[in-house]
Amino acid sequence: MSVFALGIELDGEGSHPAAWRHAHHPPGESVSGPTLKQKVRAAENAGFTFATFDDSILPPNGGIKARVDAVNRASFVAAATSTIGLVPVVETTYAEPFHTSSQLATLDYSSRGRGGWIAARVADEAAASAWGRPVLHGRTELDREQSDAITVVRSLWDSWEDDAVIRDYATGRFLDRDKLHYIDFDGKSFSVKGPAIVPRPPQGQLVVFGTEADREQVDVVLVTKADRDSAVQAATASDGLAFVEIDVTLDTSEATAAERLSDLNQHQPAADRSRLQYTGTTTGLVELLTELARDTDGVRLFPTVIDEDLPALARYVLPALFTAGVAHRPVPGSSLRGNLGLTRPANRYARIS
């Protein structure tokens, strides 16, 4: 199944640190449940394949210095949505992978198979203090902890076979103990015996997103490059799915994209995130995404101000892509894996009969 996936980042008020100044609600409502539901429902109604939710144990840089845990946000909107994939960031550095596995499996149940996970590193030593862990030094240690965490989380998802739950009330048997498995992982930072405390998720394995350095362990590589040619080159080098990350600032009826950025930067300059940048008309963005669809598997868009850019995306950009057949709305009742063209994986521990 060939797909071109459309993802959107919905953390805070937008990717710009001054985005809160242009939000369509008071700052005090930024982290409220109704505000979150409104944004995610708007993205779902627009036809986005998945929404992501940034997170860190450390406070956000710039803007409003508060956020609710990303897995909790995704789980909260699960019952209020039906087709859009819900993909929180969960950092692997210093965190306990057993808890990460349980939280994400629960998200997959609450969303009926629409869960995903962006596995992220954190290099700031303040995170070690927050977790009460010794500091990891250098990229090698961060990469090793990331690899170990993904290995443990994926193994725990498989530690229950699909038919391990019996629920035979007449005999009083509710589990087949032979279909629960120890994972027996012993690493440098942690050891995990297992099995999990949550049965195997509906998707078997949630969709795992990561960086180019994680390509051997993830389902989707998120490509962060500052120019189009480099992004396409990196995406085509991936054996699996590769999505290009793009910062998006669009013209609105009130101001051009350049004017909007200039106004925001007067309050607080945006940090350089080394992502592909698009600033301009909705027509130009449609053309860019159409070009990327020829060589890549999808995109994750970072709207500069969600309340201003998401309506423009919903009204002008996604409809044009759907009409041209470049992208398609998620199929109702399908899992996130299904909407990305991924099959449900076999359980690594299941006996082959």
Side-chain angles (χ1 to χ4, degrees), residues 211-230:
T211 67
E212 294 170 70
D214 308 314
R215 64 174 70 250
E216 300 298 325
Q217 289 187 292
V218 301
D219 301 295
V220 179
V221 171
L222 297 173
V223 177
T224 305
K225 298 293 183 182
D227 66 273
R228 180 190 175 282
D229 291 343
S230 297

Side-chain angles (χ1 to χ4, degrees), residues 54-114:
D54 197 12
D55 201 6
S56 176
I57 194 171
L58 303 176
N61 292 320
I64 297 173
K65 302 280 187 183
R67 59 158 59 107
V68 177
D69 172 86
V71 179
N72 286 337
R73 278 180 279 161
S75 298
F76 174 76
V77 298
T81 56
S82 60
T83 61
I84 193 168
L86 304 172
V87 186
V89 167
V90 182
E91 292 173 339
T92 59
T93 315
Y94 309 118
E96 294 287 348
F98 190 93
H99 300 322
T100 299
S101 172
S102 299
Q103 288 178 309
L104 292 169
T106 302
L107 168 63
D108 208 41
Y109 275 102
S110 64
S111 65
R112 300 174 299 281
R114 292 180 286 124

Side-chain angles (χ1 to χ4, degrees), residues 203-288:
Q203 295 182 97
Q205 295 271 321
L206 283 75
V207 181
V208 182
F209 297 69
T211 67
E212 294 170 70
D214 308 314
R215 64 174 70 250
E216 300 298 325
Q217 289 187 292
V218 301
D219 301 295
V220 179
V221 171
L222 297 173
V223 177
T224 305
K225 298 293 183 182
D227 66 273
R228 180 190 175 282
D229 291 343
S230 297
V232 170
Q233 184 178 6
T236 54
S238 177
D239 294 331
L241 298 180
F243 296 172
V244 176
E245 303 197 304
I246 310 174
D247 280 320
V248 172
T249 313
L250 297 172
D251 290 353
T252 67
S253 58
E254 289 78 26
T256 67
E259 290 169 342
R260 293 178 55 222
L261 266 182
S262 176
D263 177 68
L264 290 165
N265 287 333
Q266 287 179 11
H267 297 288
Q268 185 173 351
D272 180 12
R273 297 182 179 87
S274 300
R275 288 192 289 258
L276 187 61
Q277 307 279 325
Y278 178 81
T279 304
T281 66
T282 54
T283 302
L285 181 59
V286 170
E287 293 172 354
L288 172 62

Side-chain angles (χ1 to χ4, degrees), residues 23-47:
H24 295 172
H25 50 259
E29 296 179 13
S30 179
V31 295
S32 71
T35 298
L36 174 63
K37 279 199 293 188
Q38 182 181 31
K39 291 174 183 175
V40 180
R41 282 174 168 172
E44 178 172 71
N45 291 337

